[in-house]
Amino acid sequence: MLNFSKVHMRYDKEILSDINITIKDGEFVSILGPSGCGKSTLLRLASNILTPSEGTITYNDDKELVIGFVFQNPTLMPWRNVIDNVLLPIELNKRTSSRDEAYMWLERVGLKGKEKSYPNELSGGQMMRVSIARSLINGCNLLLLDEPFAALDEINRRKLEDDLLELWQKAKFTVLFVTHSVSEAIYLSERILVLSSSPGKIVYEKNIDREKLNKDFSLNMGFQKIGDEIYEKLAGSVDND
Amino acid sequence: MKNLLEVSTMIKLSNYISPIIALSIIFLVWEFLVKFFSVEMYVLPAPSDILLSLNSNLNELSYATIYTLKITLIAFLIATLIAVGLAIIFSLSKILEISLYPITVIFQVTPVVAIAPLIIIWVGLDNAQIAILILSVIVAFFPVLANTNLGFRSVDNNLRELFIINRASKWQILTKLNLPFAIPYILTGMKTSIGLALIGTVVAEFVAGTGSSTGLSWIIIESGNRLDIAKLFAALILLVLLGVFLFLMMSAIEYSVLRRWHQSTK
């Protein structure tokens, strides 16, 4: 369980204010909010890269916390080929692992045959798939994604969203997903949190009942209704600023 | 499409042929003017005289070229090792960077001829070779240091965060992130540095050279004193060719290292 309790974050001014979130193990939570509202800062706090100015962030789990992070850009190392990029977390944690594991992850993200390619030989979507495989190879139990599909075209984005959902449903790691896109958040998440702008505060929370989902969920009226509701809150959070 | 390909091939060929034609014309005009105006050999020898001198002094000039090349390469390697080493130290300790970087700038901005007498006194008159080597290293190390430093500072912030999230040690960040990331920067520095190492060797030999050092610049000094200007030109041409060779060698190394993954080679 990931728990934010009365978290504040300040640089020159307050970025995040009084953040209280509890995320259950295996839950898929999306954070929505306008640009500059502190969404990425929230992820960096969850990943321990940053320490909050006030409040606490705790992880209650029997297992050791292993974090996977997917950035907005694929953030691959251009001097390493695909397989060596995927193997990086294993190398850094000095875990003994065969390359077969990396091959398996590449196959699961649809990049079989691209193992020896260099990042500059891949498309944007393929690079993002490498980035996802890299974040999962360590057997992460908390996956943090910072607008990972923002730069992709509609078709590639939808494919990657489906693949991410499939991977999550199989492995059931906890996901904290930052996005600008209301429809993407609804399509992927079990719960959506809306942040207001500057300082970022949670102004709205919406549970999505995934049990009711079916394959054409995104086309039904329920989707539209939830979208309108969240959009209204999101627009309000900007206007209130 | 075929026409476009032919045009592009012709442009590529003309890139090599044009300078050769231009140089040939310059040499022909030079030859003609020297012969036409009967210019004295000790003022300006004709290209054909320079070639004859090159041929007749081939052994001495080859030995001098190898000597200058050897000193240049050793100085270049030492300069590169010192510069990358210093940049690593600077990247690990801010206080050391603040303290030592200005000193390296002092070395860079001080003309080598001004410190040559000091170096010669310190290493002793009998050790001209070592004095030349030290002076050449001083001239050559700064571009590698400045570029490596820039490379370390330019490391992608997200990549750095990824390493921190994966609990990478300082050593892992250095060897698996900072150094590989800085490779294109280091190579750019080395490309500038290798030319400076040659210049440093030549200038240092002019200042610190004695009969015991037998590089190309010593031959230039000696030929000048004896008014053997054809031999002087022959040594000068070899020096130019040496500079071009070193630059091409570094460019080839840079290309082979970056070929697969860096945008600059596309």
Side-chain angles (χ1 to χ4, degrees):
Chain A
M1 189 192 291
L2 171 63
N3 191 47
F4 282 67
S5 173
K6 294 175 185 168
V7 168
H8 291 253
M9 189 67 192
R10 294 181 202 94
Y11 293 116
D12 294 336
K13 58 172 190 167
E14 187 142 41
I15 307 290
L16 290 170
S17 171
D18 197 25
I19 302 290
N20 294 288
I21 314 171
T22 302
I23 299 170
K24 287 176 285 181
D25 288 344
E27 197 179 5
F28 197 128
V29 176
S30 286
I31 312 273
L32 268 172
S35 295
C37 72
K39 300 187 296 287
S40 297
T41 305
L42 195 84
L43 278 195
R44 278 159 178 78
L45 285 167
S47 68
N48 273 332
I49 299 172
L50 296 175
T51 314
S53 312
E54 253 180 67
T56 51
I57 299 164
T58 50
Y59 310 90
N60 302 320
D61 202 337
D62 300 335
K63 291 172 281 180
E64 186 202 359
L65 177 74
V66 181
I67 298 171
F69 203 116
V70 181
F71 298 88
Q72 185 169 356
N73 297 317
T75 319
L76 302 180
M77 293 182 287
W79 59 89
R80 284 181 173 225
N81 62 22
V82 165
I83 195 89
D84 289 334
N85 262 291
V86 173
L87 281 165
L88 179 79
I90 287 190
E91 265 180 59
L92 295 180
N93 289 295
K94 291 176 183 152
R95 253 187 60 201
T96 45
S97 162
S98 66
R99 292 171 84 82
D100 294 345
E101 207 174 333
Y103 277 97
M104 184 272 287
W105 275 108
L106 282 173
E107 196 175 342
R108 282 180 73 171
V109 296
L111 282 178
K112 196 178 175 188
K114 291 282 180 188
E115 296 84 0
K116 300 286 177 195
S117 300
Y118 280 78
N120 65 1
E121 295 160 352
L122 303 178
S123 68
Q126 288 173 326
M127 283 198 274
M128 194 46 84
R129 285 171 188 277
V130 178
S131 184
I132 291 172
R134 180 181 62 190
S135 68
L136 296 175
I137 194 170
N138 235 359
C140 77
N141 39 29
L142 175 61
L143 182 63
L144 307 168
L145 302 103
D146 189 2
E147 298 181 48
F149 311 139
L152 301 180
D153 61 80
E154 190 67 31
I155 294 167
N156 266 307
R157 196 166 70 197
R158 184 45 62 93
K159 269 189 199 165
L160 274 163
E161 285 168 359
D162 287 338
D163 289 348
L164 177 65
L165 270 181
E166 196 188 322
L167 291 168
W168 169 69
Q169 276 155 358
K170 273 184 191 160
K172 271 291 174 186
F173 37 77
T174 309
V175 180
L176 197 51
F177 187 92
V178 159
T179 178
H180 269 125
S181 162
V182 176
S183 56
E184 186 173 67
I186 302 168
Y187 186 67
L188 292 173
S189 336
E190 293 178 303
R191 186 150 56 108
I192 296 171
L193 304 172
V194 177
L195 278 183
S196 65
S197 61
S198 199
K201 244 181 189 176
I202 293 172
V203 290
Y204 183 67
E205 189 171 335
K206 177 78 185 174
N207 287 307
I208 312 282
D209 189 355
R210 294 201 70 87
E211 295 299 318
K212 289 183 185 169
L213 299 186
N214 54 38
K215 276 190 176 175
D216 60 357
F217 168 78
S218 62
L219 299 173
N220 73 28
M221 287 305 289
F223 184 97
Q224 188 63 41
K225 201 177 152 203
I226 298 168
D228 290 345
E229 192 181 325
I230 292 173
Y231 187 81
E232 197 179 305
K233 297 290 176 187
L234 196 58
S237 78
V238 179
D239 291 340
N240 292 340
D241 193 32
Chain B
M1 193 69 189
K2 197 183 168 191
N3 279 346
L4 268 177
L5 202 70
E6 279 170 4
V7 169
S8 104
T9 314
M10 277 174 71
I11 290 170
K12 275 182 191 164
L13 271 176
S14 71
N15 285 347
Y16 295 102
I17 292 168
S18 305
I20 294 170
I21 293 173
L23 265 177
S24 308
I25 292 170
I26 290 169
F27 282 126
L28 282 173
V29 172
W30 178 356
E31 181 82 26
F32 170 76
L33 290 175
V34 166
K35 301 287 181 201
F36 186 78
F37 291 107
S38 306
V39 181
E40 291 293 344
M41 183 97 126
Y42 63 85
V43 177
L44 181 67
S48 55
D49 297 323
I50 296 168
L51 279 179
L52 282 174
S53 175
L54 187 65
N55 188 41
S56 59
N57 296 294
L58 198 57
N59 276 345
E60 190 187 357
L61 285 167
S62 309
Y63 182 81
T65 307
I66 291 166
Y67 179 91
T68 302
L69 176 66
K70 191 178 78 182
I71 298 273
T72 302
L73 285 178
I74 294 171
F76 168 68
L77 288 175
I78 294 172
T80 302
L81 285 175
I82 291 175
V84 174
L86 273 174
I88 290 172
I89 291 169
F90 291 172
S91 76
L92 295 174
S93 163
K94 197 77 196 157
I95 188 78
L96 278 176
E97 182 182 5
I98 294 166
S99 315
L100 296 178
Y101 198 76
I103 299 171
T104 64
V105 176
I106 290 171
F107 271 112
Q108 168 65 12
V109 297
T110 309
V112 67
V113 286
I115 47 172
L118 263 180
I119 305 288
I120 295 164
I121 290 167
W122 288 340
V123 301
L125 281 170
D126 299 336
N127 295 317
Q129 259 195 48
I130 296 173
I132 293 167
L133 197 65
I134 292 171
L135 290 165
S136 182
V137 168
I138 289 172
V139 174
F141 90 98
F142 195 77
V144 182
L145 173 66
N147 278 284
T148 310
N149 226 356
L150 180 66
F152 287 169
R153 284 165 188 270
S154 308
V155 170
D156 185 315
N157 219 22
N158 286 345
L159 270 177
R160 205 189 294 278
E161 288 181 349
L162 183 75
F163 272 67
I164 294 168
I165 290 167
N166 282 289
R167 302 185 187 113
S169 63
K170 276 195 166 187
W171 176 250
Q172 285 176 322
I173 292 176
L174 174 69
T175 54
K176 292 182 191 292
L177 177 63
N178 290 357
L179 274 172
F181 194 93
I183 283 174
Y185 296 85
I186 295 172
L187 288 168
T188 303
M190 286 169 79
K191 237 161 101 179
T192 313
S193 172
I194 201 157
L196 286 177
L198 179 62
I199 294 170
T201 304
V202 170
V203 173
E205 205 177 341
F206 266 106
V207 185
T210 64
S212 65
S213 65
T214 48
L216 282 171
S217 24
W218 184 251
I219 288 187
I220 290 172
I221 297 169
E222 206 187 33
S223 309
N225 290 341
R226 292 178 184 188
L227 292 181
D228 188 353
I229 308 301
K231 190 175 171 188
L232 188 153
F233 264 103
L236 202 56
I237 286 168
L238 286 174
L239 211 49
V240 170
L241 291 176
L242 198 57
V244 172
F245 162 73
L246 289 171
F247 182 80
L248 290 177
M249 182 188 82
M250 260 322 295
S251 300
I253 291 172
E254 183 185 45
Y255 181 76
S256 66
V257 173
L258 304 181
R259 183 172 49 96
R260 280 291 311 258
W261 60 272
H262 201 259
Q263 209 54 39
S264 64
T265 57
K266 299 293 168 205

